[in-house]
Structures are given as structure tokens and as C-alpha cells.
Amino acid sequence: MTALTLSTAAAPGLRADAIVIGVGKGGKGPVVAPGADAVDKAYDGRLAGVLETLGASGAEGEITKLPAPAGFKAPLVLAVGLGTEPEEGEAYGAEALRRAAGVAARALTGAKKAAFALPLADAADAGAIAEGALLGAYSFDAYKGSAKDAKAGGKAPLAEVALLGGKPRDKEYKAAVERALAVTEELNRARDLINTPPNDLDPEAFAAVAQTAAKEHSIKVQVLDEKALEKGGYGGILGVGAGSAAGPRLVKLSYTHADATKHLAFVGKGITYDSGGISLKPAGHNETMKCDMSGAAAVFAAVVAAARLGLAVNVTGWLALAENMPSGSATRPGDVLRMYSGKTVEVLNTDAEGRLVLADALWAASAEKPDAIVDVATLTGAMVLALGSRTFGVMANDDAFRAAIVDAAEEVGEPSWPMPLPEHLRKGMDSPTADIANMGERMGGGLVAGLFLREFVGEGITWAHVDIAGPAFNEGGAFGYTPKGGTGSAVRTLVRLAELTAAGDLG
């Protein structure tokens, strides 16, 4: 993990591999951002002109490297684009700082230390830059040889970040950095889980990771194996896992605080590999299905982060873990499952399995009567078609709660969009054989899935469904602080919801 410090040192005298500065996109060319004053002064106030000569415009994510001026102990200045220059009297937003810091950290892969002289006016800015740098420096190299080999090849992540302009003795600055460290470390752990090949991360292995973390952070943990699931009547989870040699698990993580007055339940879909089951996915659609446990990874990370931050709210995480495989024992299209709630479900498509494991976990979570439930899942391709690969959809049985989640997501820099639950789509799931079918109308499939899940939420409980099928796994190139592969989508939104609830600002 990249180390991070707050520093009052002046940029010229700091020993580092690079000085990172920000550049905005002005109306007449690049504009040197606040924080880079010492560097600009060393260029006799002509740094913007030098950058423009080198082709820089200040566009978001743009990188320009130039030799450090005489008298600097760092050999390199790395200018990163912040995007459009803010209006007079305004400052660069937190997300612009996060993204710029992430781009810079990734560009400095192999470096031992970098000094970040980005705009830093208060503790919130320090937290945003810290988050971006720590998330941008992430890499997953567990299967690419030893860490020593990576270091020797100059491919190790940036080792240390110093935030210039920070106040190491200021309580607010220290708290902002400590929060950034806790959240990013857990988010990066979620990324590791998502990126781990399914032959090394089956439901039992995932449960073991959760147990280890729970013990480390004084979180109560309960793991239901096949026998316990059978005894409890968890027909959805058992039905999805029936075709795999690796048995399913339901993991319950309980973080409590003595001063808590509210209780949140987070429920995560954890399909450690999704072949589609008997309704087998075609080639081209199954190669990245190790990421189908991203919802459970997000819930796991959020609960641990809440514990590390000591938030005054009770948070319970439910990880519904199974592997969806075809075999002679697998659930077939046409089979009927009796769920934990007692309802029966006709399985018309075994590749609509996520809603089946979530249904059992939602009913289990409802039994504890939490103030609100949020489920997170890579649930439908329909949501990707609707919102693309960077935005998750939010559905809820309460419009105000849905709006609160969208607002929280925007605050932490996770693109989201409120989605409806049209009542007329419910009829499409009527079954002549069972209480409900796991499929309905094809058009609006993401909304149909939300309506199905709503059937398994306890009466009177506020609930939201977050479909992260698009942003959970980045198959394109890295951007901002988002790497290729597992992204940790929804972790920061869940943590922010817990913080707002602890502060009495939510519900």
C-alpha cells in the first residue's frame, strides 16, 4: 500500500522523484493551479507558457512532464490536467482533485516518492487528493511474479505520497487523511477480491477472508455453510449453488457501536463465478464473470471501513456467496425453489441467479428490522445498456431514500442515476406454477429485477437496490483513479451513507 504523509515542506527543498502540480484549462490556454506557486516562481512566472509550448491544455487527465527548475531536489515536474478552470472566487471540486491525483499516481508507477502540490485549501481537499492518489496507485500483481521482480522492473506502484500544504498537526487534516487511508485500503481490498481468479476465490475462500478481517476489526461474523443453509431453508442460495462442487455460503458481518441509534443493513450479491448455469452464457460473455461478486466485495469493504472509522451506527453486511455452474445437480429452467421467505420461485433462466441469492439475504436482513436496507449487485446487462459502463442505477421503495443515495454517490464521485420501479412490469413475473418467476418482460430488464427483489423486503422497511453491473469491472483503459479490472464501485457510497446516518443526516 502506498504510504501517505502531510508535509509543510517547500517544494524546492523536498527530496522526491517528482513534484506534481495542477493545470487548469483556461479560456486562452493552460492556467497554473494554486499549490504550484513555488514551481511557477522558479520558471520566472512563465510556467503556463512553457506548458503550452509543450502541448499542454489543462484538459482533465492530461499529463505533461518537464525537467524541474534549477535549485529543486526533485528532478521532475509532472503537470496534471484538472479540467476547466473554475469561475473567479470558486475552487476546483473534490472530484477534479481526486481524478488528477489518481492520474498522477498512476503516471508515477515505479517511483519511490512524489510530492503533490495540487490545490489544497482545507482538510476536505487533503482528503480528496489522498483518496485519488491512493486509489490511482493501485495495482493487482499477485499473479505476475514476485513483488521484487515488479520493483526491479520499475512496475511497482508509487511508494510514497507527500501532500504539500498539508497540516500534519491539525486535527481536521489528520482525520481527513486517516479517513482516506481507511476507505481506500478497504476499497482496494475489494478490488483485489474482484480481480482474484475464481479458482482461488470460491464462496468458502471469500468467507474465510471475511472471517479474518472481522476478527482483526472486532466485527462479529457468522458463516452459514451448506448444512446450515439447508436447515434454515435458504432455497435461493442453495439452488444457485447446486451445480457447483464449491458449496455456497451466507456470511453475516455485524459492526455495532455503543452510541448508535440507527441500524443499516447492506446486502451484496457474491457469485464468485457465473457461467450462467444450465442457461449457459455464450463465449464472449463469461470471461470476466469472476467479477460477479463485486456487490458482496463492496458490502464487505464498507462494513470493515465503518468499523475502522468507528462510526456511531450499527451496520450489518450480508454476503450471499455462490458459484453458478452447470452440472447434473444444477438447477434447471422450470425448477421451482422455495425461498427463505417461504415464497416459491419458478426459475425460467438460471442466468438470472443473482436475484435468487439476494432474495434470501434480503429476507434474512429484514428479520432484524433495520432502519434501511441497501443491496448492491452486478445484476443486469439491461442496466449497462441503459446507463453505460460508468454509472450505476438506483431503485428504491422510497423516493427520498433513493435521492439520498444518489446524492451520496455524487458527493463521493461515483456516477449514479435514479431509476423507477414501474408497477406494470410486475405482472410479467406472474407464474402459473409458483408465487413468482425469476424473469419477466425483456424490455426494462433492470427494473424487472428490482421489482423481483422488492418482493423479498420486509414490510415497512426502507430499501434500495443498487445495480453496479456497468461500473464494477472496467474492461477498458484506466482513467482518473479507476484501474482496469475490478473498481470497487459503490464502496464509497455505502461508507458515506453510514457516515450520514451516524451524523443523523439520513433518515
Side-chain angles (χ1 to χ4, degrees):
M1 185 72 182
T2 301
L4 189 139
T5 58
L6 293 166
S7 176
T8 57
L14 190 67
R15 294 188 182 278
D17 294 305
I19 305 292
V20 176
I21 64 169
V23 185
K25 187 175 184 179
K28 297 181 179 180
V31 178
V32 177
D37 302 352
V39 179
D40 191 26
K41 183 179 179 181
Y43 277 95
D44 298 324
R46 296 180 294 180
L47 179 56
V50 172
L51 289 168
E52 187 171 23
T53 300
L54 293 172
S57 67
E60 181 184 316
E62 180 183 76
I63 287 288
T64 306
K65 296 181 180 180
L66 60 162
F72 276 62
K73 292 185 177 179
L76 175 71
V77 172
L78 188 146
V80 58
L82 288 161
T84 303
E85 180 188 22
E87 298 291 333
E88 187 175 349
E90 297 184 3
Y92 289 98
E95 183 62 7
L97 297 178
R98 283 190 205 98
R99 292 180 180 178
V103 170
R106 195 170 61 254
L108 290 168
T109 295
K112 292 182 179 179
K113 183 176 182 178
F116 280 55
L118 293 172
L120 200 165
D122 54 27
D125 288 345
I129 296 168
E131 268 192 31
L134 295 171
L135 293 175
Y138 172 83
S139 68
F140 184 71
D141 301 315
Y143 294 82
K144 290 185 176 180
S146 69
K148 185 176 181 180
D149 292 337
K151 187 175 181 180
K155 295 180 180 179
L158 172 61
E160 182 180 351
V161 171
L163 300 187
L164 302 190
K167 300 177 181 179
R169 296 185 180 181
D170 185 283
K171 289 183 179 179
E172 290 186 359
Y173 277 77
K174 288 173 66 178
V177 168
E178 287 170 1
R179 178 193 182 279
L181 283 167
V183 173
T184 57
E185 284 178 3
E186 295 313 319
L187 192 153
N188 284 336
R189 175 160 33 191
R191 288 173 170 177
D192 283 347
L193 288 168
I194 297 164
N195 289 325
T196 298
N199 57 318
D200 281 345
L201 191 76
D202 61 16
E204 183 179 5
F206 195 149
V209 172
Q211 287 174 304
T212 300
K215 184 177 181 180
E216 181 182 354
H217 298 289
S218 301
I219 299 169
K220 292 182 180 179
V221 61
Q222 179 184 13
V223 179
L224 301 185
D225 61 12
E226 301 99 313
K227 290 183 179 179
L229 292 168
E230 184 73 40
K231 184 177 180 180
Y234 292 86
I237 297 174
L238 287 166
V240 173
S244 174
R249 297 288 186 273
L250 178 62
V251 179
K252 177 185 176 184
L253 298 165
S254 302
Y255 161 69
T256 57
H257 192 284
D259 298 327
T261 59
K262 296 287 186 179
H263 176 198
L264 293 177
F266 297 152
V267 177
K269 172 188 172 183
I271 304 300
T272 57
Y273 181 74
D274 181 20
S275 69
I278 297 297
S279 305
L280 193 66
K281 293 179 184 291
H285 294 266
N286 56 17
E287 291 81 357
T288 60
M289 281 298 102
K290 65 182 181 180
C291 78
D292 214 21
M293 36 60 69
S294 295
V299 167
F300 167 53
V303 174
V304 178
R308 291 182 60 174
L309 294 171
L311 301 182
V313 58
N314 295 335
V315 183
T316 305
W318 299 83
L319 316 181
L321 309 176
E323 186 176 61
N324 188 23
M325 296 290 285
S327 75
S329 60
T331 295
R332 296 154 292 233
D335 282 355
V336 173
L337 303 177
R338 185 170 296 279
M339 311 297 281
Y340 182 56
S341 68
K343 286 186 178 181
T344 54
V345 175
E346 183 181 10
V347 179
L348 299 180
N349 187 327
T350 64
D351 197 22
E353 84 299 328
R355 64 199 70 182
L356 298 175
V357 300
L358 285 173
D360 276 355
L362 283 168
W363 193 255
S366 296
E368 297 190 339
K369 304 293 183 184
D371 293 286
I373 299 175
V374 181
D375 76 70
V376 184
T378 47
L379 205 62
T380 64
M383 197 58 61
V384 186
L385 290 173
L387 299 178
S389 61
R390 297 191 184 184
T391 304
F392 58 69
V394 183
M395 288 155 263
N397 61 4
D398 181 285
D399 289 348
F401 189 52
R402 181 183 63 185
I405 293 175
V406 171
D407 289 346
E410 182 179 6
E411 185 180 349
V412 299
E414 295 199 289
S416 69
W417 197 257
M419 301 294 282
L421 289 172
E423 293 298 336
H424 71 273
L425 291 176
R426 169 60 183 85
K427 185 172 178 58
M429 290 184 285
D430 286 349
S431 166
T433 308
D435 294 323
I436 190 172
N438 77 330
M439 293 291 288
E441 293 184 30
R442 181 165 176 259
M443 299 302 171
L447 313 182
V448 171
L451 287 165
F452 178 90
L453 294 177
R454 190 182 65 178
E455 298 279 324
F456 298 90
V457 177
E459 186 176 353
I461 298 175
T462 301
W463 156 82
H465 163 55
V466 179
D467 191 336
I468 60 171
F473 196 82
N474 176 25
E475 296 187 61
F479 60 93
Y481 48 82
T482 302
K484 186 178 179 66
T487 65
S489 178
V491 172
R492 290 179 297 137
T493 297
L494 294 179
V495 173
R496 188 62 187 140
L497 283 173
E499 288 176 324
L500 291 168
T501 303
D505 296 330
L506 187 68

